[in-house]
Amino acid sequence: MSTRESATARQAGRPRSERAERAILEATLDLIGEGMGIAELSIEAIASRAGVGKTTIYRRWSNKEDLVVDALAVLRTPMPPIKGESVRDDLIVMLTAMHADAVDGRNRSVMHMAMGESDRYPALLAKFRCLVLEPRREALRAILERGMATGELRADLDTEIALATLNGAVIWHCKWGGGESGTVLAPRIVDQLMSGLTG
């Protein structure tokens, strides 16, 4: 077989199984959601729960930290579509999505694990921030900056404090609030904060 034929044969081999990949990610999240920390989590346990061989996992991830980060990224609800017509409406959409993430039981326990083990696994936390946290912060920041440019928000708005306030209000209410749905809570937060953010 020629070199070209050999390369073609390798490329035409069995493609990655999306079903297996999803099973691996779900198994990882299930084990963490059941209370298994990163130190206790093993490729063997994940493979057993997912019903795949260890080699199937190692073909996709070089170590369990990378696998955990990808699993955490999958856990988040998809970024909601932003219309870009109204700062208020766009903030409500974003906070409703954040609320959905925060009240999901498995999501909450996995996020606590990721943040709680940050000292032991700083590289994992850095990847987690880059893949999971920062995209949403950037989306919120873009909404605020657009509002400052259009006059919907104060031109001298401290965006970092506004971001912390929006995030903190959602998290606080999900943990200690009255149990409102996201569609009820998000407009309450946005309308109250907008009264202090507008000129």
Side-chain angles (χ1 to χ4, degrees):
M1 181 181 292
S2 70
T3 302
R4 177 175 294 180
E5 288 172 336
S6 177
T8 301
R10 285 196 300 270
Q11 292 173 3
R14 186 178 63 179
R16 286 187 175 184
S17 167
E18 291 184 10
R19 183 179 301 175
E21 190 162 308
R22 184 69 191 187
I24 293 165
L25 294 171
E26 289 293 330
T28 303
L29 292 172
D30 285 342
L31 290 169
I32 294 172
E34 292 166 9
M36 186 174 288
I38 298 176
E40 297 80 24
L41 188 67
S42 68
I43 296 297
E44 290 82 359
I46 296 169
S48 176
R49 176 67 66 93
V52 302
K54 290 191 295 182
T55 55
T56 301
I57 295 177
Y58 282 120
R59 277 198 296 267
R60 293 160 172 79
W61 295 277
S62 59
N63 55 62
K64 67 180 179 181
E65 287 82 5
D66 288 343
L67 171 53
V68 168
V69 170
D70 282 354
L72 293 175
V74 166
L75 187 62
R76 306 294 275 183
T77 54
M79 190 79 75
I82 300 300
K83 293 183 178 180
E85 299 172 354
S86 160
V87 167
R88 177 186 182 273
D89 291 348
D90 290 346
L91 288 176
I92 288 173
V93 168
M94 287 297 298
L95 265 61
T96 301
M98 290 164 55
H99 180 274
D101 284 335
V103 297
D104 180 86
R106 185 175 71 165
N107 193 327
R108 186 168 57 248
S109 64
V110 170
M111 294 303 162
H112 287 170
M113 178 280 303
M115 303 306 291
E117 300 205 34
S118 60
D119 289 342
R120 297 178 63 187
Y121 299 93
L124 186 150
L125 179 62
K127 292 178 182 178
F128 173 67
R129 287 176 60 91
C130 179
L131 293 176
V132 179
L133 301 181
E134 286 305 320
R136 298 212 174 209
R137 281 179 55 84
E138 287 305 313
L140 275 174
R141 183 180 286 107
I143 294 170
L144 295 175
E145 290 176 349
R146 191 186 75 239
M148 293 163 66
T150 61
E152 293 173 84
L153 301 177
R154 287 170 22 199
D156 63 346
L157 176 68
D158 186 328
T159 56
E160 292 305 312
I161 294 299
L163 286 169
T165 304
L166 290 165
N167 280 285
V170 172
I171 299 303
W172 189 92
H173 272 276
C174 288
K175 192 167 185 178
W176 291 290
E180 298 106 320
S181 69
T183 55
V184 172
L185 179 62
R188 284 185 58 208
I189 293 173
V190 171
D191 286 341
Q192 182 64 41
L193 295 179
M194 288 279 287
S195 67
L197 301 179
T198 50

